[in-house]
Amino acid sequence: MSKAPPQYRLVIFDAIEDPKELRELICKATGAHPTDAVQWLARTPGLWPWPIDEPTARTLLDGLYDFGVAAEARLADQVPDLSPPRTIHRAACLDEGLRIEGLRGEPTHWVPWDRIEMICAGRIGWEEVGGSPQPKWPSAVVSGVRALALRKPKPLNVRQAQTAREPVSEVLVVRKDPLIAFRFVENQMNYAYLGDRLRPSAAENFPLFLADLCNRAKSAYLSDSTRSLIASQDPGESNFPSSQALLDYATIQLLWSWYRRDRQASNERLLHTDEDPDSEPL
């Protein structure tokens, strides 16, 4: 019985300023409709929706390289699936690791700090009550909000703003071996482990929890949104219209951390060998 050829997923890590420049490359290699190709390119960084074979992957990577776009083709079965993340309501940051607890405080999962691969935090934006998540821009504080698609803000709809809810912070913690994503929501957490540091509100306790995570998981990759949130930088780097948008972003950030790690390892190996870099697998 013949073995099926391997399938790959293309991931682009850069935002494409002019999608039309890459339209021909994408359409010619994949057979996609020009409109579909441009719409997808406008939403990058992101994963091409469909698996591709190795020749197609090489054609795309060579073309993207010529345009100076960071991208990779990863075997389809090696693309991380973080959905659905496990929503956690009680946890404790201890010296040895992250202890996840049940509703009565009983330990249900243990994650040593060196097993935490990534911490991805963000602010989930306003949502219209009774409707689908919609990004709102009611103040200068969140005027820079953008989703993974990097779309510009739309004008404020006053009627919708009246039914809006304040943004809430979330953090996705990804552990390795096995790969599991845990989700912590600011106003759904019990912060009892803070002890004497416990503050009156969830909005005050969440930054302490996030700081504990980042300070103790020293080998974890911190997403750009996490760094921005901690440093109180441009809110556009850490605000998202929905939890799903944050999860999609986290997937790309995890792939980016793997891409950087693999490239660094490859470069170090080439420094000590006579290997041809063009002979390396995808």
Side-chain angles (χ1 to χ4, degrees):
M1 185 176 179
S2 60
K3 186 177 180 180
Q7 295 290 294
Y8 294 84
R9 293 293 303 278
L10 174 73
V11 53
I12 291 182
F13 298 111
D14 291 332
I16 307 302
E17 294 184 3
D18 186 359
K20 293 181 179 179
E21 287 187 350
L22 296 175
R23 177 177 56 192
E24 183 177 354
L25 169 67
I26 298 295
C27 293
K28 187 175 181 180
T30 67
H33 189 279
T35 300
D36 294 336
V38 169
Q39 289 179 348
W40 178 76
L41 288 167
R43 293 193 297 268
T44 54
L47 279 161
W48 180 248
W50 302 283
I52 54 177
D53 58 23
E54 184 171 334
T56 301
R58 290 192 178 278
T59 298
L60 288 169
L61 291 179
D62 289 344
L64 292 169
Y65 178 83
D66 291 340
F67 277 94
V69 176
E72 75 165 337
R74 183 171 290 271
L75 284 168
D77 60 1
Q78 294 181 5
V79 174
D81 183 6
L82 304 182
S83 181
R86 302 182 185 181
T87 301
I88 307 301
H89 302 290
R90 290 181 65 107
C93 295
L94 307 178
D95 291 341
E96 301 81 7
L98 176 64
R99 186 180 70 192
I100 293 172
E101 304 173 347
L103 295 178
R104 298 177 181 84
E106 72 277 12
T108 60
H109 199 96
W110 177 258
V111 187
W113 292 119
D114 60 1
R115 291 290 183 90
I116 293 182
E117 181 144 7
M118 184 181 73
I119 298 173
C120 183
R123 294 277 283 170
I124 307 304
W126 280 257
E127 297 180 2
E128 186 176 358
V129 176
S132 59
Q134 296 287 341
K136 307 295 191 300
W137 328 105
S139 71
V141 176
V142 292
S143 62
V145 175
R146 58 179 179 176
L148 184 58
L150 301 178
R151 295 192 179 94
K152 294 182 179 179
K154 297 179 180 179
L156 172 64
N157 184 313
V158 177
R159 183 186 63 81
Q160 289 182 342
Q162 292 174 347
T163 62
R165 294 180 293 185
E166 290 292 325
V168 175
S169 295
E170 291 188 14
V171 58
L172 294 168
V173 175
V174 179
R175 73 155 292 168
K176 57 185 177 181
D177 304 326
L179 188 71
I180 304 174
F182 300 102
R183 173 175 174 257
F184 304 87
V185 183
E186 173 189 296
N187 59 3
Q188 297 179 22
M189 273 285 292
N190 182 311
Y191 298 96
Y193 90 93
L194 290 172
D196 294 341
R197 295 187 294 155
L198 189 66
R199 304 291 179 83
S201 69
E204 295 173 288
N205 288 317
F206 184 85
L208 299 177
F209 174 63
L210 180 59
D212 283 350
L213 286 173
C214 296
N215 290 334
R216 293 174 184 268
K218 298 185 183 301
S219 62
Y221 177 76
L222 304 185
S223 69
D224 293 340
S225 63
T226 303
R227 297 178 184 277
S228 177
L229 191 63
I230 292 174
S232 298
Q233 295 174 344
D234 176 13
E237 295 292 335
S238 57
N239 284 27
F240 299 85
S242 68
S243 296
Q244 184 61 49
L246 177 61
L247 185 64
D248 293 342
Y249 171 83
T251 300
I252 300 301
Q253 286 281 296
L254 183 60
L255 284 167
W256 171 246
S257 72
W258 291 354
Y259 174 81
R260 291 178 55 190
R261 179 196 62 195
D262 294 346
R263 290 303 176 197
Q264 182 177 355
S266 176
N267 290 338
E268 291 177 354
R269 185 175 66 254
L270 290 173
L271 288 175
H272 298 90
T273 66
D274 296 326
E275 294 181 22
D276 180 1
D278 293 331
S279 66
E280 291 189 3
L282 292 176

